[in-house]
Amino acid sequence: MLNRVFGIFLCCVMLITGCSKNVNDVSANNEAEMDRESGNILVQEEGLSLVWKDLTDYFNVQVEFSPTSYTPKVPEYKINPDLSNVENIDRFEGLSKEQSTKLVNNGFVVLNPNPEKAYYYMKMYNIYEENEYKNIPNFITVDVALHMYHKVYDELLKGIEKEQLHVALQQLTQNMLTKTSILYSKTENEALKHHVGEIMVYFAVANKLINDSYGDIPKEYMTIAQKEINEIENAKGYAKSPLFGFDINYEQFIVRGHYAGDEILEKYFKTMIWYGLIGYPLEEKNPDFDSIIQAMMITYITFLEMNGQDDIALWDKIYAPTEFLAGQADDVTIFDLKEVIMNVYGKDVALTDFLDEQYYDSLLKELGKLPSPQIQYRLITGSVDTPAGKQFRFMGQRYTLDANIMQEFMFPIIRPIPTGLDVAGAFGSQRAENLAKENYLKDLDEQTYTDVMTRMKNKVEALEQADWTQNLYSGWLWTLKSVWTKQENTQGLPLFMKNQAWEDKNISSGLGSYAELKHDTILYVKQPVAEMGGGEELTEYYPNYVEPAVEVYDKLLWLVRYSQINLKNRDLLSERFEYALNSLEEVYELFRTCAVKELENIPISEEENRELKYIGGKLEYIEDTLSDQYSQAISSAVISDVAGIADIGAFLEIGTGLPNEILVALAHDGKVYLARGTVYSYYEFLHEKPLTDEQWHEMLGVEKIVEDEWVYEQINSERLQKDAPPQPNWIASFKSFEDNKVFIPHIEYNLGQ
């Protein structure tokens, strides 16, 4: 439209004046200068001032990481085929033949929840509380240690969003709509008015989502905004955007994660999805100048101060903490475009300058210098026309290493569906890579997969400690890398750690924590997309045990300390979260100390053993500190969509189900005994739409009960996992899928005469 208006204008001047080409050029230049001057006067008269501010520079306080050294010296031990040398085997009635065989061969076995005592499987630490009452030794797993960091991270993020970011987003959105409406109502340049009008719709939709109002906008634009809101509320998948004219996956607006069920957080979620999902294409080849112009105008309007209100500070108040928690944006931001504008137009730019074609060549040159996103949609069939490539987003979703890895393995048509094993394999697990090749290649050539895996492994291995420790998301991934790292030298390790089944269990443990990470950051992290085509205690002493994963506890300790000091430095750490992090730090220090002692065959102290015995209550207390008991999720099971398959309208869901039991044969003082703990149950499957936690809980057999004003969850033992999809088949190497009928009798206490 801009080219047509400009051409008509020139023709009219030539016809009326009959002047020479040189005079026409002078006339056009004078007209452009008048247009530019009127644009500057417009801004000034309406109480708006252009202030080019810089992004607040936050310096992360570094926390030293020093891995603990140890030398494994666990004596050799074995399990008799009939379990006759297991001291407390009589306490575990009902083991099937297959479960006993796994215990003998692997030194451990993982079991599904027992329907007869289903209430013990709501949270990861419930089994430990039963162990305490029935005098069963605890086997404290890496899984429960990782899970507790997820609980802190998730509640911390939720608190920051609800108490600080939501208010900032409300004000920022209202300010952007107000400024845009002023510019629209006062400008007389029709081309400029058209662009500002579409930007006004963009912020009117956001304002409706966060502030329940479209604002006072013209009727024709109100109609477009209302159509967008209808698509968002219907959330039925890919549809043509009434505003943008290309396909948007509106199912991404389905509220999930910790946002579902909270009115404030639901509004925050949808608004941030609007700002983060939809981009303005900036490709320098076959450029869409309407999109480029509007991206620059949004940037310009953001830097306009209205009566002294600083919207850059509001934008930064949202972006900075989420950058520390989830990572940097993967797309062009307002600060990237600010530099482009300064380089092309100078600091005294006016809105009308963006319409001037004489700048286009230098503009495209500057846009070409901006980096392309590392996570891009892979759409080749034309079934949807969602833009890929370089784009501007007002509050862009974040780059993460794992999503980048998944995207590289998503070959449209022949292998569009990734797997969590791709990530574990790229992080160095050869076993995960082999399992992916055996189970998830579809029609993809194995050598092609190997070539991509080699490239991704090299990318991961090239990362230095400073790369892993730049934010909490990457720090969490760094911890998972240790979970997925195989112990090549098994000399001196316990029996249960010397076989492939334990390696598979560690892959599952890491993927369970990975599912929690994706769940917690569902709003911020960019997804890859491709196409398919009690009483008196007994005197008998049983030592409790910590899974000896020293490096994992080292990194969890680092992660807690790094979280605490940098969140406090940003004034984001409340008193209760500081207490929770301090408590978790104590727990991880206990786990690391005991793990080193176990590996070096040094008895843990009586006090340490006592702390491990009552660990269930300690972990429950930490969770109760994080949030009001009545606002907590009752089940620890979570679900998250991590990738989209555009042409069939499906999503790859990964999640954790109900906690599983793990029975482990341990040696102590020349004797073998069974200890019990909990591990993740990992799920990975395609679903036609993104699932919420509540929907996932229903599939697992967790029912929501409403009695008057009291709402709670409980497990329906008859529906236990009946509607859940099957777990990946490779898990069968360490888990028994036979019914769990293990019964642990109550202790008969001698209370004296």
Side-chain angles (χ1 to χ4, degrees), residues 4 15 30 40 54 68 70 123 136 166 179 224 395 465 523 666 685:
R4 187 166 67 251
L15 287 172
N30 288 340
N40 283 330
D54 292 324
T68 304
Y70 58 91
K123 295 192 176 183
I136 297 298
H166 173 262
K179 289 187 292 186
I224 300 172
M395 191 68 71
Q465 185 171 314
L523 175 56
L666 305 168
F685 57 94

Side-chain angles (χ1 to χ4, degrees), residues 409 415 419-426 428-441 446 449-450 453 457 486 488 500 503-504 507 729-730:
F409 284 104
R415 205 250 187 187
T419 167
L421 293 171
D422 295 338
V423 179
S429 171
Q430 185 61 49
R431 173 63 175 166
E433 179 181 347
N434 293 341
L435 288 171
K437 288 178 179 178
E438 292 169 14
N439 297 281
Y440 297 96
L441 280 196
E446 183 174 320
Y449 184 88
T450 300
M453 179 62 79
K457 280 182 176 179
K486 180 183 178 182
E488 296 297 340
Q500 184 175 283
E503 187 180 358
D504 291 354
I507 292 172
N729 57 17
W730 54 268

Side-chain angles (χ1 to χ4, degrees), residues 123-137:
K123 295 192 176 183
M124 288 287 283
Y125 47 72
N126 289 154
I127 286 291
Y128 295 109
E129 293 176 321
E130 188 194 27
N131 288 349
E132 174 189 331
Y133 297 129
K134 294 192 174 181
N135 206 43
I136 297 298

Side-chain angles (χ1 to χ4, degrees), residues 452-466:
V452 176
M453 179 62 79
T454 300
R455 180 157 47 86
M456 290 295 98
K457 280 182 176 179
N458 291 339
K459 183 170 187 173
V460 172
E461 286 305 312
L463 297 176
E464 298 181 355
Q465 185 171 314

Side-chain angles (χ1 to χ4, degrees), residues 166-301:
H166 173 262
V167 175
L169 189 63
Q170 280 184 308
Q171 189 62 59
L172 175 63
T173 301
Q174 180 62 66
N175 290 352
M176 293 299 293
L177 178 58
T178 300
K179 289 187 292 186
T180 307
S181 297
I182 289 172
L183 294 173
Y184 177 82
S185 65
K186 298 300 181 181
T187 185
E188 295 180 359
N189 182 311
E190 289 301 319
L192 181 61
K193 202 174 187 73
H194 166 75
H195 287 300
V196 175
E198 292 198 343
I199 293 170
M200 184 169 56
V201 176
Y202 178 70
F203 287 111
V205 170
N207 203 61
K208 178 63 176 175
L209 293 172
I210 193 75
N211 290 319
D212 296 319
S213 172
Y214 291 102
D216 185 16
I217 64 175
K219 183 178 179 180
E220 64 270 24
Y221 289 116
M222 176 73 77
T223 301
I224 300 172
Q226 289 172 335
K227 289 180 179 179
E228 280 289 356
I229 290 294
N230 287 339
E231 294 289 354
I232 289 169
E233 295 303 326
N234 290 334
K236 290 184 177 178
Y238 281 93
K240 200 70 67 182
S241 166
L243 174 59
F244 291 93
F246 52 70
D247 290 323
I248 292 173
N249 187 356
Y250 287 98
E251 281 180 327
Q252 289 290 353
F253 288 92
I254 294 174
V255 181
R256 49 213 193 273
H258 65 240
Y259 305 91
D262 186 296
E263 184 179 358
I264 291 175
L265 291 177
E266 287 190 351
K267 291 179 179 180
Y268 177 81
F269 179 93
K270 289 182 178 181
T271 310
M272 288 293 284
I273 288 289
W274 177 253
Y275 284 150
L277 178 67
I278 303 161
Y280 289 80
L282 300 177
E283 288 296 334
E284 56 272 21
K285 296 180 180 178
N286 301 316
D288 179 350
F289 279 108
D290 282 350
S291 176
I292 294 170
I293 288 168
Q294 290 183 20
M296 291 192 297
M297 285 183 175
I298 290 173
T299 300
Y300 178 97
I301 295 168

Side-chain angles (χ1 to χ4, degrees), residues 476-634:
W476 193 333
L477 289 178
W478 188 43
T479 305
L480 296 183
K481 188 175 188 298
S482 293
V483 179
W484 288 324
T485 299
K486 180 183 178 182
Q487 295 253 23
E488 296 297 340
N489 182 5
T490 62
Q491 185 176 356
L493 294 178
L495 170 68
F496 60 87
M497 294 179 70
K498 294 184 175 184
N499 52 67
Q500 184 175 283
W502 188 256
E503 187 180 358
D504 291 354
K505 174 263 166 196
N506 282 342
I507 292 172
S508 177
S509 296
L511 289 175
S513 180
Y514 177 60
E516 291 178 331
L517 171 61
K518 302 306 287 186
H519 167 273
D520 297 350
T521 58
I522 184 68
L523 175 56
Y524 300 102
V525 172
K526 197 174 183 182
Q527 284 189 12
V529 175
E531 293 173 298
M532 176 78 79
E536 184 180 19
E537 294 189 13
L538 300 183
T539 56
E540 185 177 8
Y541 176 82
Y542 280 128
N544 296 282
Y545 198 89
V546 176
E547 181 179 338
V550 178
E551 187 174 349
V552 177
Y553 304 133
D554 276 339
K555 289 185 177 177
L556 283 170
L557 268 170
W558 175 88
L559 200 51
V560 165
R561 292 165 180 164
Y562 186 67
S563 303
Q564 185 177 45
I565 192 168
N566 283 289
L567 289 168
K568 195 169 187 177
N569 194 43
R570 288 169 166 79
D571 198 26
L572 295 172
L573 193 63
S574 67
E575 186 175 334
R576 64 187 172 95
F577 282 111
E578 185 172 13
Y579 178 83
L581 285 168
N582 283 336
S583 299
L584 197 55
E585 182 179 4
E586 293 173 0
V587 167
Y588 291 155
E589 284 178 335
L590 172 67
F591 289 177
R592 181 178 64 180
T593 299
C594 293
V596 171
K597 286 185 176 182
E598 290 160 359
L599 288 171
E600 295 193 331
N601 200 31
I602 300 171
I604 63 174
S605 70
E606 189 173 321
E607 178 58 30
E608 288 164 343
N609 191 57
R610 181 178 179 83
E611 288 187 62
L612 295 181
K613 177 176 181 178
Y614 296 111
I615 197 64
K618 175 77 170 180
L619 299 182
E620 182 177 26
Y621 186 71
I622 292 174
E623 183 172 350
D624 288 345
T625 303
L626 295 172
S627 64
D628 183 274
Q629 183 177 358
Y630 297 103
S631 66
Q632 294 176 13
I634 302 303

